[in-house]
Amino acid sequence: QVQVVESGGGLVQAGGSLRLACAASGATFSKYGMGWFRQAPGKEREFVAASNWNGNSIHYADSVKGRFTISRDNAKNTLYLQMSSLKPEDTAVYYCAAQRLNLAIAIATIESYDYWGQGTQVTVSS
């Protein structure tokens, strides 16, 4: 029903920065809650950051708070994740997800999201 596509992953040294983008299809993007999740090899997928439908409610995982910034440009149907002060433990496949509900609060639970992108690899070297 909707399509989300991540881009911007790559290899970066520890302490460096990287910006991920998520392009979402559909004219109703501005009414979707959006989130970023990541999955490292051998680990479960985990929450990274989320934004409610209008961007006035933001939630970050404790592990990335102060280093990552989530933002959205509804006019361009695009979600961003600016990652700074990257650490080797940030290495993972990063996924963008969309939630159909236009809730007032950003949602961090994986099971609450309806649509997922294919993921983009982020590798942080020591």
Side-chain angles (χ1 to χ4, degrees):
Q1 293 178 303
V2 301
Q3 185 178 16
V4 292
V5 180
E6 305 94 335
S7 63
L11 176 64
V12 64
Q13 288 186 303
S17 299
L18 206 60
R19 188 184 72 163
L20 306 183
C22 170
S25 65
T28 58
F29 172 82
S30 63
K31 296 298 183 181
Y32 292 165
M34 302 291 295
W36 288 98
F37 298 80
R38 66 187 182 186
Q39 187 168 18
K43 297 180 63 178
E44 295 291 313
R45 190 168 300 185
E46 65 177 3
F47 167 75
V48 175
S51 169
N52 76 325
W53 69 274
N54 66 1
N56 66 1
S57 178
I58 303 294
H59 188 211
Y60 296 99
D62 289 341
S63 60
V64 306
K65 190 175 298 182
R67 300 187 298 119
F68 290 11
T69 301
I70 187 173
S71 62
R72 63 192 299 163
D73 186 341
N74 287 348
K76 296 182 178 180
N77 288 355
T78 303
L79 181 76
Y80 301 97
L81 184 68
Q82 178 65 51
M83 304 183 294
S84 299
S85 301
L86 283 163
K87 306 174 181 179
E89 51 262 45
D90 294 319
T91 296
V93 176
Y94 283 71
Y95 296 90
C96 176
Q99 181 189 40
R100 289 176 291 180
L101 299 178
N102 58 332
L103 300 177
I105 302 174
I107 303 299
T109 54
I110 293 173
E111 57 268 24
S112 296
Y113 286 83
D114 302 293
Y115 310 104
W116 294 83
Q118 81 288 349
T120 185
Q121 177 71 47
V122 172
T123 302
V124 184
S125 62
S126 300

